[in-house]
Amino acid sequence: MALSTVGEIQKFLVNTAKDASPYWLAGYSLLALFVFSQLFYVFIYLVAQTPRGVLQEELTYKHIEDNGSVSYAKPLPYWKSIFDQRKKTAREKGDSSASSVGIEEAEVFMSLVVPAYNEENRLGIMLREAVEFLQKAYPTAKQNGTANGSLKQRNKVGRGQSDGRMKNTSHPTGWEILIISDGSKDKTVSTALEFARSLGKESAGLIRVTSLVENRGKGGAVTHGLRHVRGKYAVFADADGASRFEDLGKLLRELQQVEDKNGRGVAVGSRAHLVGSEEVVKRSFLRNLLMHSFHTLLWILTPPATAAIRDTQCGFKLFSRPALPYIVPYMHSESWIFDVEMLMLAEAAAIPVAEVPIGWHEVQGSKLNVLWDSLGMAWGLFVLRAAWAMGVYKRT
């Protein structure tokens, strides 16, 4: 039958629908749903972020030698290669549980990762505060007359620590700072090295500087740094110094309280208690509106434990070393939303997370565009959640 007019076509479709059985209609609906899901999967696959590969020169660092000169590029340590080998061996033996697959032993007690993009003006202030605390709280073994990072004694730190400082018990000692220059175009690298030189022979070599050839984003820089830490604990902190660094002691104390039997735990600094403070209230109406809207979106889109975190975006998070292999290798997001992915991965691996109130203040010079970056974070969160839910991202 030839259908020559639009009216006849519409009439034909209506009659066909009336004559069709409920089973055919259900079949059509399922088919349409299947086609839509496949198209949506392809869409998410195309827009989901895929981190670029790591360049060979990005696997090196420089530091200040004992004579005050800048070292040649030295290879960064990489704990994942040893972890992967241990995991392979455990699987061959039929046991790949967290208790049987351990990360290599730490060489220092605390690692600090600092992502920095064009931070020549603010970096020095933050580093001074950080080093002052690290030297007091986690002194190097060299100060006790032994080699820094000695591996001779490895007993677990007691959970009874009262102030989050390193006690005089058996464990790796000392600290290190990894500054990840994220494709900086200014003097960030030279500023970091000059600051290290100013510390003198004893501490200068504890600061390592790595340069990414191209800007990856804050998430990419943090992830890169966490791949190469040597610490029993690893914290990342923003280069602007907005977080009160001495609150690292609080994070460590709370993390040690929630660590599981395998030593895995995460502590996240939180500014949620400051929401009603004068500093936050004075922000623009738009900024506060976007903040509350983003929190609502987080509550809707993220799994329950992650959704329960009141401040996912604070740039001050501490990880125990055994937790790193369950989070860092599976990171995809390199933008502002990377914090949420870290917390989602921790939740998926059943790693305990503690949220800890910290001191914080506004710092001039932020690179965050309130409107556009907020919209970008919302879009990134949607894509991130969809990519994990639909299997575009996998823990393999």
Side-chain angles (χ1 to χ4, degrees):
M1 177 180 67
L3 301 176
S4 57
T5 67
V6 174
E8 289 178 345
I9 294 175
Q10 292 176 337
K11 184 177 180 180
F12 173 76
L13 291 175
V14 170
N15 290 334
T16 300
K18 289 180 178 179
D19 294 339
S21 69
Y23 299 105
W24 278 104
L25 290 175
Y28 289 147
S29 299
L30 290 175
L31 178 61
L33 182 62
F34 174 78
V35 172
F36 173 79
S37 65
Q38 295 304 302
L39 291 174
F40 186 67
Y41 177 90
V42 172
F43 172 73
I44 294 298
Y45 179 85
L46 293 174
V47 299
Q49 191 168 18
T50 301
R52 67 168 173 82
V54 179
L55 303 178
Q56 190 62 37
E57 54 264 50
E58 296 175 338
L59 295 174
T60 62
Y61 72 94
K62 292 182 179 181
H63 70 103
I64 299 299
E65 300 280 12
D66 287 346
N67 62 9
S69 65
V70 178
S71 72
Y72 63 86
K74 299 181 178 181
L76 285 164
Y78 190 30
W79 51 260
K80 185 176 181 295
S81 58
I82 297 177
F83 178 82
D84 287 343
Q85 183 58 47
R86 291 181 177 181
K87 192 172 184 179
K88 179 181 178 182
T89 302
R91 282 177 174 172
E92 291 173 351
K93 295 179 178 179
D95 183 7
S96 59
S97 63
S99 59
S100 64
V101 183
I103 188 172
E104 67 174 325
E105 300 288 355
E107 295 181 37
V108 297
F109 185 77
M110 184 65 68
S111 294
L112 166 62
V113 174
V114 183
Y117 176 65
N118 293 342
E119 291 288 359
E120 63 174 318
N121 295 323
R122 302 191 296 181
L123 183 60
I125 299 173
M126 179 269 177
L127 289 176
R128 276 192 292 274
E129 181 184 358
V131 169
E132 181 180 352
F133 176 80
L134 292 170
Q135 287 178 330
K136 291 179 180 179
Y138 318 117
T140 64
K142 184 183 294 185
Q143 295 172 332
N144 296 325
T146 57
N148 182 30
S150 173
L151 299 176
K152 293 181 180 180
Q153 295 174 312
R154 289 300 183 197
N155 294 334
K156 180 178 175 63
V157 178
R159 294 193 179 187
Q161 290 188 329
S162 61
D163 61 358
R165 293 177 179 240
M166 188 178 69
K167 299 301 182 182
N168 188 24
T169 54
S170 300
H171 51 61
T173 61
W175 53 273
E176 66 172 351
I177 297 178
L178 280 73
I179 300 169
I180 312 299
S181 176
D182 190 16
S184 298
K185 306 299 183 184
D186 65 354
K187 298 179 181 179
T188 294
V189 172
S190 60
T191 298
L193 290 171
E194 283 300 319
F195 173 83
R197 183 181 284 113
S198 72
L199 297 177
K201 183 177 179 180
E202 184 174 301
S203 298
L206 302 179
I207 296 181
R208 299 179 169 190
V209 182
T210 294
S211 297
L212 303 184
V213 177
E214 299 177 1
N215 179 266
R216 301 187 71 120
K218 179 184 173 183
V222 168
T223 301
H224 186 79
L226 291 176
R227 291 191 188 110
H228 304 289
V229 294
R230 298 179 296 151
K232 182 180 178 69
Y233 296 95
V235 62
F236 72 82
D238 291 342
D240 61 6
S243 301
R244 187 171 60 195
F245 198 83
E246 65 182 30
D247 284 340
L248 174 58
K250 294 171 60 178
L251 264 66
L252 178 59
R253 182 177 64 248
E254 295 301 320
L255 189 154
Q256 290 173 336
Q257 293 298 320
V258 302
E259 282 179 336
D260 64 16
K261 63 180 182 180
N262 298 308
R264 304 181 308 163
V266 178
V268 300
S270 176
R271 303 157 297 181
H273 63 293
L274 299 173
V275 169
S277 67
E278 181 180 1
E279 195 162 24
V280 174
V281 170
K282 284 184 176 180
R283 288 176 173 178
S284 68
F285 171 78
L286 176 61
R287 185 166 184 175
N288 283 324
L289 175 64
L290 291 172
M291 177 185 69
H292 291 296
S293 299
F294 180 72
H295 289 166
T296 301
L297 195 60
L298 273 172
W299 183 78
I300 294 172
L301 291 180
T302 57
T306 302
I309 301 295
R310 299 175 62 197
D311 183 5
T312 60
Q313 302 308 111
C314 181
F316 201 43
K317 292 181 174 64
L318 177 67
F319 304 82
S320 67
R321 189 171 184 83
L324 295 177
Y326 300 89
I327 299 174
V328 175
Y330 309 110
M331 288 292 297
H332 294 83
S333 178
E334 297 190 319
S335 60
W336 297 102
I337 206 66
F338 80 98
D339 302 78
V340 176
E341 185 171 27
M342 284 184 164
L343 294 172
M344 288 171 54
L345 287 167
E347 180 174 355
I351 297 174
V353 177
E355 186 172 11
V356 185
I358 63 167
W360 179 87
H361 65 280
E362 291 274 10
V363 177
Q364 296 298 318
S366 173
K367 299 177 180 65
L368 182 70
N369 182 297
V370 176
L371 178 59
W372 291 111
D373 285 329
S374 295
L375 294 174
M377 288 170 65
W379 168 250
L381 176 60
F382 169 75
V383 173
L384 177 68
R385 191 68 175 101
W388 277 107
M390 300 191 70
V392 175
Y393 292 162
K394 300 177 181 178
R395 294 178 63 91
T396 56

